[in-house]
């Protein structure tokens, strides 16, 4: 008999009932150090007082109102995002997948309105992940995600990650945009080097196409800048955001320049829940924290400390780990042992990590992780590695 919850997930036998900062508490009372943060979602950790306050204050006043009316919390969050980024305008969604849908529509509509309706193709890269909607899986294009689900949507050209010549050659009169994650998350913490991001920006400018960045996983302070592309000194035309922006409340956004968004006039897109008062109230509280330069300085300091200790861990367990990769608090341990075994050994030692492609385990802790948490992380990961070595 099929499970009452559609069995699309491989779930670990863990049943968390409470979260406190960087810690998750299991129904049996065990405390787990959460280095996954709901896959880069709980940016301020679990039950951050400012987020609890923002949510409960809003819940006592108004939960939902249609986008047929003004939503002051949405306006406030859009203003904050515009103030702190390249963007001139923001559309709110409930997830990263929905942000992908709009990013694709926006790029195509831009060219349609400019009389270049043949420009519909979006260039994407192997190992990418943009969500599980029809457009999301067609954009990523991997057989694992698309097989069995009928025809993939046309208009996506899949390129080899890191092959800049391939990108240059793939741009034609039908190209609308390049869509790329500055750091691939699901793909195994694979960073696009700053020089390549700069080259992609230059190529887009030269060839008159749009640059769409998917910062759903790497954005919102995760790399030690508000958004990862800032390290390369470039800006996109369109950017997808989700996960961390809601700190655990479902919230996503598409940010765009005025020019890139010019096709999206009244009636061209919409969402019932996108930009609802609850989500936006929480999003404002998240933004107030992650835009504080002192907060980002701390993320960078702790990221340096964690990375240095992880290098030591890799050195101490050469049979289990190969290398450390990533940026800020978006780190990956490339494994020699099978990554799932390492994640499971982590569970045995009460530390949560997240598997990714390329035999990597991801460490995406709350950005509020303390120095003591880092000490605990290393202790537990070291025990997990020893358990694998002695198995
Ligand atoms: C880079 C990236 N884009 C898009 C998505 C899809 O986001 P969501 O699961 O919120 O729909 C994810 C989710 O893991 C992601 O990592």
């Amino acid at each position: 008999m099929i499970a009452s919850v559609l069995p699309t997930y491989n779930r670990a036998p863990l049943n968390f009932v409470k979260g406190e900062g960087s810690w998750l508490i299991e129904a049996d009372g065990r405390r787990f150090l959460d280095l996954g943060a709901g896959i880069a979602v709980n940016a301020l950790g679990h039950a951050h007082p400012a987020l609890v306050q923002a949510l409960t204050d809003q819940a006592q006043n108004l939960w939902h109102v249609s986008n047929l009316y003004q939503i002051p919390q949405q306006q406030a969050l859009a203003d904050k995002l515009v103030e702190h980024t390249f963007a001139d305008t923001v559309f709110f969604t409930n997830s990263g997948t929905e942000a992908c849908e709009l990013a694709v529509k926006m790029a195509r509509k831009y060219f349609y309105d400019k009389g270049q309706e043949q420009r519909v193709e979006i260039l994407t890269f192997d190992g990418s992940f943009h969500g599980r909607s029809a457009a999301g899986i067609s954009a990523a294009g991997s057989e694992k995600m698309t097989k069995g689900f009928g025809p993939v949507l046309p208009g996506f050209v899949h390129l080899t990650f890191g092959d800049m010549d391939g990108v240059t050659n793939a741009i034609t009169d039908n190209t609308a945009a390049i869509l790329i994650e500055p750091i691939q998350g699901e793909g195994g913490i694979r960073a696009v080097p700053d020089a390549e991001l700069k080259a992609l920006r230059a190529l887009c400018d030269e060839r008159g196409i749009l640059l769409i960045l998917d910062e759903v996983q790497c954005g919102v302070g995760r790399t030690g800048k508000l958004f990862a592309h800032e390290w390369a000194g470039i800006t996109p035309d369109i950017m997808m955001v989700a996960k961390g922006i809601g700190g655990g409340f479902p919230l996503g956004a598409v940010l765009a320049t005025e020019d890139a968004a010019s096709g999206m006039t009244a009636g061209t897109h919409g969402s019932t829940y996108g930009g609802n008062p609850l989500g936006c109230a929480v999003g404002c509280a998240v933004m107030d924290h992650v835009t504080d330069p002192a907060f980002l300085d701390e993320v960078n300091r702790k990221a340096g400390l964690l990375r240095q200790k992880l290098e030591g861990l890799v050195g101490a367990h050469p049979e289990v780990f190969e290398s450390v990769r990533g940026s800020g608090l978006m780190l990956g341990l490339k494994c020699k042992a099978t990554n799932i075994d390492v994640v499971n050994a982590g569970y045995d030692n009460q530390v949560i990590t997240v598997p990714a492609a390329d035999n990597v385990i991801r460490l995406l802790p709350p950005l509020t992780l303390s120095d003591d948490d880092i000490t605990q992380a290393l202790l537990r990961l070291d025990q997990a590695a020893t358990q694998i070595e002695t198995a």
Side-chain angles (χ1 to χ4, degrees), residues 39 95-98 129-131 181 186 214 216-217 240 242-243:
I39 318 192
S95 68
T97 305
E98 289 167 76
F129 185 82
H130 303 295
E181 296 156 80
E186 305 302 308
D214 181 344
V216 166
Q217 196 161 142
M240 296 154 52
K243 290 186 180 276

Side-chain angles (χ1 to χ4, degrees), residues 12-37:
L14 292 168
N15 192 8
F16 297 117
V17 292
K18 194 171 167 55
E20 288 170 358
S22 304
W23 295 83
L24 283 168
I25 294 131
E26 226 273 350
D28 63 11
R30 283 179 300 159
R31 293 172 67 83
F32 286 68
L33 180 61
D34 185 8
L35 302 182

